[in-house]
Amino acid sequence: MEDGFLMEVCVDSVESAVNAERGGAGRIELCAGLVEGGTTPSMGLLQVVKQCVRVPVFVMIRPRGGDFLYSDREVEVMKADIRLAKLHGADGLVFGALTEDGRIDTELCTALLAACRPLPVTFHRAFDMVHDPQVALETLISLGFERVLTSGCDSSALEGLSLIKKLAEQAKGRIVVVPGGGITERNLQRILEGSTVSEFHCSARSARDSGMKFRNPNVAMGASFSAPEYSIKVADVAKVRTLNAIAKNIL
């Protein structure tokens, strides 16, 4: 933050975490399943990432892809994952939960926040699915969330920039509004200059070819929409450095 903007990079591997730190990330959001928008990572991944990086690691608590309306059993999984993440060195936690009518689930969030403390907590992009974002922001502030990650309730942070600006102004320092969603070196300057935010969130990934020499083109391990079997997406040191440099030059 001494350079004005803090860059958070979402990662789903040790390699990406190391690359993010090397490129200048100030914080890591650790997930699994980025193709689904991020789910809870394994505790093994958290343990090894914590051994390899020094920047704070915030852990995603999301038991599945899809919506943010959770069953009682899913809530038990989330509480167990929070306990384990704290045990294995998480520096912060990231979750979100909504009611069926698109409002913040205050009862569930209160219980999960209590389980997370004393660690800082970010409400993730479930926020982009709320019925009324300005009312939802006040709810998050009253609950005590430190941050909210948002694309401005649009397809990307650039598309949602006007709402991000309004939310940051509404927050008045009571919660950190973190733009995220489709942020690249091509649009970061516009997003930072067009809002009053102090942090931003990105993945900064590039695809690299698998090291496999024998390949079976007839079999895929996931659904038809999943990533190609022999292409691996990792945080790109050069991209992270470029984004960091753009942020610094805006000062």
Side-chain angles (χ1 to χ4, degrees):
M1 281 299 292
E2 67 272 12
D3 295 314
F5 293 100
L6 186 142
M7 172 172 50
E8 176 181 81
V9 179
C10 57
V11 306
D12 60 1
S13 68
V14 179
E15 181 181 2
S16 286
V18 170
N19 287 354
E21 183 178 58
R22 282 177 58 203
R27 184 172 63 241
I28 284 167
E29 181 191 84
L30 187 64
C31 310
L34 282 175
V35 73
E36 291 187 283
T39 53
T40 308
S42 77
M43 294 303 109
L45 177 59
L46 172 58
Q47 206 168 9
V48 177
V49 165
K50 284 292 294 178
Q51 290 166 5
C52 293
V53 303
R54 293 183 179 180
V55 296
V57 177
F58 280 26
V59 176
M60 173 70 75
I61 302 296
R62 187 179 175 217
R64 56 165 172 77
D67 65 34
F68 305 102
L69 183 66
Y70 295 114
S71 69
D72 290 344
R73 284 180 174 171
E74 286 171 333
V75 170
E76 289 309 306
V77 171
M78 294 169 84
K79 288 178 178 176
D81 282 332
I82 288 167
R83 288 193 296 271
L84 288 167
K86 289 170 74 177
L87 188 65
H88 288 92
D91 298 292
L93 294 150
V94 183
F95 70 80
L98 304 178
T99 61
E100 63 183 9
D101 56 354
R103 289 168 172 78
I104 306 296
D105 188 333
T106 55
E107 184 180 350
L108 176 51
C109 285
T110 298
L112 294 178
L113 279 165
C116 290
R117 296 309 186 196
L119 298 181
V121 186
T122 301
F123 192 94
H124 61 42
R125 284 189 60 203
F127 184 85
D128 292 324
M129 303 300 191
V130 298
H131 177 258
D132 186 328
Q134 288 166 310
V135 169
L137 187 71
E138 292 300 324
T139 303
L140 296 184
I141 291 165
S142 68
L143 287 169
F145 282 90
E146 280 78 12
R147 290 174 180 81
V148 56
L149 176 64
T150 179
S151 63
C153 301
D154 216 320
S155 57
S156 71
L158 185 61
E159 296 294 325
L161 184 55
S162 62
L163 180 58
I164 291 169
K165 184 170 187 280
K166 284 178 191 168
L167 292 170
E169 289 168 351
Q170 178 186 339
K172 293 190 176 85
R174 296 174 296 160
I175 190 171
V176 180
V177 175
V178 184
I183 291 182
T184 69
E185 57 270 28
R186 294 186 300 277
N187 60 30
L188 177 61
Q189 184 169 347
R190 281 181 65 190
I191 290 164
L192 295 182
E193 288 180 343
S195 62
T196 55
V197 300
S198 59
E199 303 186 7
F200 65 96
H201 172 101
C202 59
S203 63
R205 294 195 299 167
S206 291
R208 70 165 168 78
D209 196 38
S210 162
M212 287 295 295
K213 289 180 177 153
F214 172 77
R215 302 185 179 196
N216 182 348
N218 301 315
V219 179
M221 293 293 122
S224 58
F225 65 84
S226 62
E229 207 65 41
Y230 297 106
S231 176
I232 300 165
K233 285 199 166 182
V234 294
D236 185 319
V237 176
K239 282 190 175 184
V240 177
R241 281 185 179 143
T242 299
L243 287 159
N244 211 21
I246 291 167
K248 287 179 181 178
N249 287 337
I250 291 170
L251 292 175

